[in-house]
Amino acid sequence: MAEPTDQRWSPTVIRPEDAGVAPTAAGLVEHLASVGDLGAELTRAKALVWRGFSVRPDEFDAVIDHLLPERWAYRHGNSPRTKVGDIGANVYTSTEYPPEYTISMHNELSYAARYPSRLLFYCQQAPSGGGATPVVDGARWLAALDEEVRAAYRGGVRYRQNLHDGHGFGKSWQETFETANKADVEVFLKETSAEFEWRADGSLRVEQSGPSTVVDPRTGAEVWFNQSDQWHAAGLGDETARALAEILAEEDMPQSVAFADGTPIPAEYVVQVRDRGLAEAVDNDWSEGDLMLIDNVLVGHGRRPFTGPRRVLVAMSG
């Protein structure tokens, strides 16, 4: 596989000429079938991009089976997504935030006890401008933070979700857990050791602690691994945070976060985490038919603003 030429870390890009195959979905399948240990290659590269194979939506199912043969449902996910029914099992739209917004760097479901080890992105429709998926080496992100911030986070963080029963801010518990059966939700949450409470209005409150960093056992690398900047009001921007604070107490917001001992996380720490993660990121620009596979522990991802229609799909696995 082709090595990145930039001195700074970036994803490894594989083109048909690199793999010695035709620039088609069939050529990509041929290439993937010849890779001896894709897991080891992904651990080494942290992110792999297949560019120039022009994979069509009706060809995607055959390709994804080589990359993620066992795909997870997006249960306990906090991002707004739509499940795609005509392109393979457990495939979703990427986060459906307005195109003018940047989505900050994060590891998917890092707030949950059970998180995927791999994410696969597929560009079905490239935007007319912008819309890159930035990726960041988690070790570089951690190293970019001030020692004061790293020290404050060492004890971990505690996440809180308030999931309404169909009417309210944010996602409902039915959307979040892909079921309308409370018993199924309770089984799922008990398996993750989360604390939860059904409230009188039918909503669900969930709390659970998580680390700020993890040490990857395969590489020995310590990486930044939490979503505090996305769960904290300061990460929303001043105007949005003020508007929410006028309507809701912090404990009643759709999601919030504190240090593991309950101590509030200073807003300036949250902003530093968000901004330095984005500053360390490398943009992956999309062309239609491109795919990117990332290690969800070693690498965080986000989204740049864009113009024109954009459709990037995502799937995940353990």
Side-chain angles (χ1 to χ4, degrees), residues 236-250:
L236 301 173
D238 293 342
E239 292 184 12
T240 303
R242 277 196 296 269
L244 272 177
E246 290 175 1
I247 301 169
L248 297 168
E250 183 175 357

Side-chain angles (χ1 to χ4, degrees), residues 87-99:
I87 200 169
N90 289 332
V91 177
Y92 298 81
T93 58
S94 53
T95 301
E96 296 171 351
Y97 284 156

Side-chain angles (χ1 to χ4, degrees), residues 113-187:
R114 182 176 182 263
Y115 50 81
S117 62
R118 295 182 186 183
L119 299 182
L120 177 67
F121 298 89
Y122 165 64
C123 181
Q124 183 175 349
Q125 183 175 13
S128 56
T133 295
V135 286
V136 63
D137 181 328
R140 290 182 66 105
W141 190 0
L142 174 61
L145 301 176
D146 291 351
E147 175 55 33
E148 176 186 352
V149 174
R150 294 197 298 267
Y153 269 92
R154 283 196 183 110
V157 296
R158 186 164 181 82
Y159 302 98
R160 174 186 290 140
Q161 286 177 292
N162 289 295
L163 304 168
H164 61 77
D165 191 30
H167 299 90
F169 292 105
K171 294 180 72 173
S172 69
W173 62 263
Q174 295 95 331
E175 291 174 303
T176 299
F177 296 100
E178 295 192 358
T179 180
N181 188 316
K182 289 185 176 182
D184 289 345
V185 175
E186 291 180 6
V187 168

